[in-house]
Amino acid sequence: MIVTVTPNPALDVTYAVPALRPHTTHRVDAVHEQAGGKGVNVARVLHTLGRPTTALLPLGGPTGDVVRAELDRSGLPYLSVPLRSRAATRRTVTVVDEADATVLNEPGPELTAEDWAAVLAGAAGLLPAARALVLSGSLPRGLHPGAYGDLVRLAHRHGVPVVLDAGGAALTEALAARPTLVKPNAAELRDATGIADPLAAARVLADGGARAVVASLGPAGLLAVTPGGAWHAGLPEGRAVRGGNPTGAGDAAVAALAAALAGGSPWPQTLAEAVALSAAAVRAPYAGHFDRQAYLYDLPLVRLRPV
Ligand SMILES: O=P(O)(O)OC[C@@]1(O)O[C@H](CO)[C@@H](O)[C@@H]1O
């Protein structure tokens, strides 16, 4: 089983409009609501792939109830930790138009030390049956920036590899605990290191404590610095997806990386899976979903180049 932890989950709302124009009124063509937050999206992709998974997430208030109800309907295995304050789980809004997606993320409720202890206890209960642990998304207010480090150390005690997908202090503070793999995007990589060149920045994160760094570079693919070598992996120009809904593409890549860590796949195959799944997610209308046919079509097309 792969356990995902989403400390700051959300009710993900996706609006479709023909063209987003700031400072004007829009009539929304279609509204979609589902349980979200990065770790929930990762678990949803794994579940669709038929990989055993459990999403661990704190939930509170009326929005938390809506998230819980959607998870029940979708059949995604989860363990929710009720927030003692009953503060409401946040909403995250993605506006998709013909060109791209625009994301508005609420900060979410504050977690108390007791809430976080309950999340750690939930993780400790799941880890004995876990083959990988995924830690994804922003940390909620009230938590110390080293909170992910607590979970990394807990996973190490159970001999479980950890994938961390976060930015800012949540990423840099967790490095000391030596996560197995970190997956920053290009902006997070630059922010964490102050270095513009992604390869040089990834090497700095690896030197800083991450055993492997896989940076997602949008349509340009993935850049990996691992103990087994460093590669760029991407689709040929004709198959690289532009437009669509890129929200959740990184989560699909994390799902592939976690599945590979859990199964012990070699790096080249792992990176090909991550590129193809990530591109297939851009072709799906909502985060946490992917176009299965595109995934299977693209998988053998992924090009790997040592860097
Ligand atoms: O605020 P965070 O936790 O960094 O990101 C939250 C979020 O924008 O990321 C997902 C896409 O990756 C969305 O489903 C989700 O709501």
Side-chain angles (χ1 to χ4, degrees):
M1 174 181 60
I2 297 171
V3 176
T4 73
V5 183
T6 315
N8 200 8
L11 179 64
D12 251 352
V13 183
T14 306
Y15 289 149
V17 298
L20 182 66
R21 270 183 251 103
H23 316 133
T24 65
T25 301
H26 296 77
R27 306 287 164 195
V28 175
D29 292 340
V31 182
H32 176 86
E33 287 189 353
Q34 66 174 33
K38 290 187 163 48
V40 174
N41 295 340
V42 173
R44 206 182 285 273
V45 170
L46 288 167
H47 186 59
T48 308
L49 287 170
R51 305 292 301 239
T53 184
T54 298
L56 172 62
L57 65 168
L59 290 175
T63 345
D65 293 341
V66 178
V67 167
R68 204 177 283 109
E70 196 279 325
L71 288 171
D72 287 337
R73 277 198 307 279
S74 69
L76 180 65
Y78 72 97
L79 176 64
S80 66
V81 172
L83 290 182
R84 292 162 72 117
S85 64
R86 293 171 183 273
T89 295
R90 66 181 172 153
R91 283 161 308 173
T92 49
V93 179
T94 303
V95 184
V96 183
D97 70 6
E98 275 154 20
D100 207 336
T102 303
V103 181
L104 302 167
N105 285 352
E106 295 178 6
E110 199 164 311
L111 256 63
T112 62
E114 290 78 28
D115 292 327
W116 186 239
V119 172
L120 289 173
L126 292 168
L127 278 167
R131 302 277 297 274
L133 178 70
V134 174
L135 310 175
S136 262
S138 56
L139 287 175
R141 293 178 293 173
L143 284 195
H144 57 100
Y148 274 139
D150 299 346
L151 281 162
V152 176
R153 281 182 282 271
L154 187 62
H156 286 336
R157 286 203 283 281
H158 289 267
V160 174
V162 183
V163 181
L164 171 68
D165 179 8
L171 166 63
T172 49
E173 293 282 319
L175 289 178
R178 295 191 54 77
T180 317
L181 191 158
V182 297
K183 199 242 31 96
N185 61 30
E188 289 164 343
L189 194 56
R190 197 176 48 241
D191 289 352
T193 58
I195 299 172
D197 172 47
L199 180 57
R203 290 197 197 282
V204 166
L205 281 196
D207 290 344
R211 290 189 199 153
V213 180
V214 178
S216 50
L217 308 177
L222 297 175
L223 186 69
V225 172
T226 80
W231 293 272
H232 174 268
L235 283 168
E237 185 53 35
R239 289 297 295 169
V241 195
R242 283 164 221 281
N245 181 4
T247 324
D251 305 331
V254 168
L257 297 169
L261 276 189
S265 303
W267 280 108
Q269 186 190 330
T270 302
L271 296 173
E273 295 271 352
V275 167
L277 203 50
S278 179
V282 181
R283 295 180 192 275
Y286 313 116
H289 298 256
F290 63 95
D291 177 331
R292 187 183 288 271
Q293 277 195 328
Y295 163 57
L296 295 174
Y297 183 89
D298 281 338
L299 193 52
L301 302 181
V302 178
R303 290 181 183 160
L304 224 72
R305 174 172 55 84
V307 290

